[in-house]
């Protein structure tokens, strides 16, 4: 790309030529979502939460006080493996040599982040809006904040919601008819500051013998997209509800979007106060619009920094980067979401069998299945000869099939390529 642009002798003109050429053939770059990840049930409930439940959720959020960046979700659980072998020593000042890598939970190694499948696609395309921004700017848009709780019964409001008729009815509309027993997985409280978005993703899949407690989530997403592990796949449901008070969704944005067909555009559910939706997010690709896109300016947030939103009292929240305040927000400035997840089983006995199962898949067995498929499809000659970093990138490029921006003339975010970004400064925001 750099050579093509430079050959014209006029970078601005060359950039325009390249931009137009890619735009003309954009349909060639469109991906198809695999058929097994389409045509699934989605359900919307306008009044999923009562006003009293919303107040209780806000009260709980303030009591919890600290909301780390969601990139650091392993603070709330222990994964047996944070990487597949691509780890390398961390650099000075917690820096990582490779642009995709971040510090691991011990801050001693650099690894691919748990959701590199999500971040890589977002940087490459600019997300569902087709943004033309640098990697640091885009990073700040997806570094949302949250708390992950794996025992809902410890929180009265969570217990009330999960056992409430509306949540259970919504969940059972999504679970397969023969799998109506709900086995709770977790509930999350997610906060976004103005200017942030939820990029395209699948929720962390569960398989018999493989979950986020054993392997990086990006590898689980590869397994789900590949269709090679369908015999081990476990159906689940996520129920999402909004407990912010604002309700002007046309001005605030933040709508929930999901792709339920191989090639067509998304379906939209507005992020209305007290509303909710139910979907199996581990087999339906989904995302969120940017929250307050037109009226916000995000503070700079380094991808390797320790970031958190911290409640200070009096409806005030501070955004901290390596313990230093870089911005402040009011409670009403934030987009508040609660997410419940449950596995769908045939009955309580099957759920119990899942919890007692210790027959975990091995990393080598998973990579062997994927590697053989890569070789049979003539994508690589010998998967085992690749470095683990190279193998990871091939797996992501081959199997992950998140759609490109539906309305963007240019489907790629050339502003994210450091070597040529300056040549495209006329198009970059």
């Amino acid at each position: 790309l750099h050579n093509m642009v430079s050959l014209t002798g006029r970078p601005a003109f060359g950039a325009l030529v390249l931009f137009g050429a890619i735009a003309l053939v954009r349909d060639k770059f469109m991906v198809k979502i695999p058929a097994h990840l389409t045509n699934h049930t989605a359900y919307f409930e306008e009044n999923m939460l009562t006003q009293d439940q919303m107040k209780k959720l806000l009260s709980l959020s303030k009591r919890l006080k600290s909301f780390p960046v969601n990139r650091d979700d392993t603070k709330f659980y222990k994964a047996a493996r944070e990487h597949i072998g691509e780890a390398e020593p961390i650099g000075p000042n917690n820096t990582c040599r490779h642009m995709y890598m971040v510090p691991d939970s011990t801050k001693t190694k650099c690894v691919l982040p748990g959701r590199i499948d999500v971040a890589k696609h977002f940087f490459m395309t600019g997300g569902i809006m087709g943004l033309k921004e640098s990697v640091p700017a885009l990073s700040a848009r997806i570094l949302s904040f949250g708390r992950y709780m794996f025992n809902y019964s410890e929180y009265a409001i969570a217990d009330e919601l999960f056992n409430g008729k509306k949540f259970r009815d919504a969940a059972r509309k999504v679970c397969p008819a023969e799998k109506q027993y709900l086995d709770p997985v977790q509930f999350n409280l997610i906060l976004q500051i103005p200017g942030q978005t939820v990029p395209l993703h699948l929720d962390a899949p569960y398989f018999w013998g493989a979950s986020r407690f054993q392997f990086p989530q990006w590898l689980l997403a590869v397994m789900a997209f590949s269709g090679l592990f369908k015999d081990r796949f476990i159906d689940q449901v996520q129920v999402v509800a909004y407990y912010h008070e604002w309700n002007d969704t046309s001005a605030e944005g933040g709508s929930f979007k999901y792709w339920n067909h191989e090639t067509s555009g998304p379906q939209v559910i507005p992020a209305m106060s007290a509303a909710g939706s139910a979907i199996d997010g581990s087999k339906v690709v989904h995302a969120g619009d940017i929250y307050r896109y037109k009226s916000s300016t995000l503070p700079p947030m380094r991808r390797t920094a320790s970031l958190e939103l911290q409640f200070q009292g009096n409806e005030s929240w501070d955004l901290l980067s390596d313990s230093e305040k870089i911005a402040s927000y009011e409670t009403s400035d934030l987009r508040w979401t609660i997410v419940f997840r449950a596995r769908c089983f045939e009955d309580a006995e099957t759920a119990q069998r899942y919890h007692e199962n210790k027959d975990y898949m091995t990393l080598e067995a998973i990579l062997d299945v994927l590697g053989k498929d890569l070789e049979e499809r003539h994508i690589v000659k010998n998967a085992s000869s690749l470095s683990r970093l190279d193998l990871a990138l091939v797996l992501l490029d081959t199997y992950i099939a998140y759609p490109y921006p539906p309305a963007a003339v240019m489907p790629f975010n050339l502003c994210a390529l450091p070597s040529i970004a300056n040549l495209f400064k006329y198009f970059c925001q």
Side-chain angles (χ1 to χ4, degrees):
L1 290 175
H2 184 277
N3 290 339
M4 179 185 285
V5 172
S6 299
L7 281 173
T8 67
R10 289 184 292 170
F13 177 71
L16 182 62
V17 170
L18 181 58
F19 187 98
I22 295 178
L24 286 174
V25 296
R26 69 183 300 276
D27 288 347
K28 299 293 184 182
F29 297 104
M30 298 297 102
V31 299
K32 286 187 177 181
I33 298 172
H36 66 280
L37 299 180
T38 62
N39 299 307
H40 299 295
T41 300
Y43 174 75
F44 174 71
E45 172 68 53
E46 189 169 336
N47 295 297
M48 185 73 76
L49 301 174
T50 66
Q51 291 299 309
D52 181 62
Q53 289 169 338
M54 290 172 59
K55 289 178 181 178
K56 289 178 180 178
L57 287 169
L58 279 173
S59 178
L60 172 61
S61 301
K62 293 171 184 177
R63 289 200 308 274
L64 292 171
K65 188 174 181 178
S66 175
F67 283 72
V69 67
N70 281 317
R71 177 200 63 206
D72 296 337
D73 62 338
T74 50
K75 288 184 177 181
F76 301 102
Y77 65 93
K78 177 66 176 176
R81 289 181 176 271
E82 281 192 68
H83 59 85
I84 67 164
E86 81 280 1
E88 57 184 42
I90 201 166
N93 300 317
N94 287 344
T95 56
C96 294
R97 175 188 60 84
H98 196 281
M99 68 176 292
Y100 288 150
M101 285 188 164
V102 297
D104 70 355
S105 60
T106 67
K107 306 297 183 186
T108 60
K109 297 177 181 177
C110 289
V111 299
L112 293 173
R115 294 316 306 255
I116 183 59
D117 58 308
V118 176
K120 183 173 179 288
H121 180 270
F122 185 67
F123 295 154
M124 182 178 73
T125 65
I128 58 178
M129 290 181 63
L131 298 172
K132 304 297 181 282
E133 297 180 349
S134 67
V135 168
L138 290 173
S139 294
R141 293 201 181 278
I142 59 175
L143 292 172
S144 58
F145 305 86
R147 295 289 295 251
Y148 291 71
M149 281 73 86
F150 293 91
N151 189 350
Y152 74 95
S153 61
E154 293 180 359
Y155 303 88
I157 179 58
D159 188 66
E160 174 187 333
L161 289 171
F162 183 79
N163 289 301
K165 188 176 186 302
K166 284 189 177 180
F167 267 58
R168 288 192 163 255
D169 285 353
R172 286 179 172 135
K173 284 180 169 66
V174 171
C175 287
E178 71 279 10
K179 298 179 180 180
Q180 290 288 291
Y181 181 83
L182 300 177
D183 179 39
V185 175
Q186 68 192 75
F187 83 95
N188 311 338
L189 301 177
I190 306 296
L191 280 69
Q192 287 177 303
I193 61 176
Q196 290 191 323
T197 185
V198 179
L200 282 158
H201 67 286
L202 286 180
D203 293 332
Y206 279 79
F207 300 88
W208 285 92
S211 73
R212 72 196 312 165
F213 298 104
Q214 286 83 44
F215 302 106
Q217 291 186 54
W218 69 260
L219 181 61
L220 301 173
V222 165
M223 293 168 66
F225 268 107
S226 75
L228 299 171
F229 302 86
K230 287 190 285 187
D231 59 326
R232 288 179 170 266
F233 183 83
I234 296 175
D235 297 288
Q236 60 174 288
V237 58
Q238 70 165 28
V239 180
V240 179
Y242 306 101
Y243 60 105
H244 46 246
E245 294 182 352
W246 53 264
N247 213 20
D248 186 358
T249 55
S250 60
E252 305 287 8
S255 294
F256 179 85
K257 294 186 174 181
Y258 64 97
W259 278 251
N260 216 3
H261 303 283
E262 291 181 53
T263 56
S264 61
Q267 294 168 271
V268 183
I269 296 176
M272 297 166 54
S273 177
S277 59
I279 200 168
D280 185 342
S282 67
K283 61 186 181 187
V284 177
V285 173
H286 56 285
D289 271 336
I290 296 177
Y291 169 51
R292 293 189 182 177
Y293 174 53
K294 295 181 180 179
S295 61
S296 62
T297 301
L298 279 165
M301 290 188 280
R302 290 187 298 109
R303 64 187 175 91
T304 57
S306 177
L307 299 162
E308 69 172 310
L309 266 178
Q310 192 176 94
F311 184 57
Q312 303 299 319
N314 297 321
E315 306 303 330
S316 178
W317 295 77
D318 285 349
L319 173 54
L320 306 180
S321 176
D322 291 331
S323 301
E324 293 186 9
K325 183 172 76 172
I326 59 174
S328 292
Y329 301 91
E330 295 294 308
T331 299
S332 58
D333 291 327
L334 306 174
R335 180 182 184 267
W336 298 83
T337 310
I338 182 170
V339 183
F340 264 99
R341 291 196 174 91
R343 288 173 287 258
C344 309
F345 287 120
E346 291 87 345
D347 48 43
E349 289 73 22
T350 308
Q352 185 65 26
R353 184 161 58 88
Y354 171 82
H355 288 287
E356 293 175 351
N357 176 58
K358 296 294 186 288
D359 183 21
Y360 300 127
M361 299 179 70
T362 66
L363 176 64
E364 297 308 318
I366 294 170
L367 296 182
D368 184 58
V369 170
L370 293 168
K372 286 180 179 177
D373 187 58
L374 291 174
E375 292 167 1
E376 290 173 1
R377 295 166 62 180
H378 304 291
I379 294 169
V380 300
K381 288 185 178 180
N382 185 355
S384 63
S385 69
L386 298 176
S387 73
R388 285 299 170 90
L389 177 58
D390 287 341
L391 176 60
L393 296 178
V394 171
L395 292 175
L396 291 163
D397 287 341
T398 301
Y399 296 109
I400 299 298
Y402 296 128
Y404 285 83
V409 175
M410 162 65 78
F412 299 114
N413 176 31
L414 299 176
C415 304
L417 300 173
S419 61
I420 65 171
N422 189 54
L423 299 175
F424 288 87
K425 61 186 177 182
Y426 304 98
F427 306 103
C428 298
Q429 299 168 6

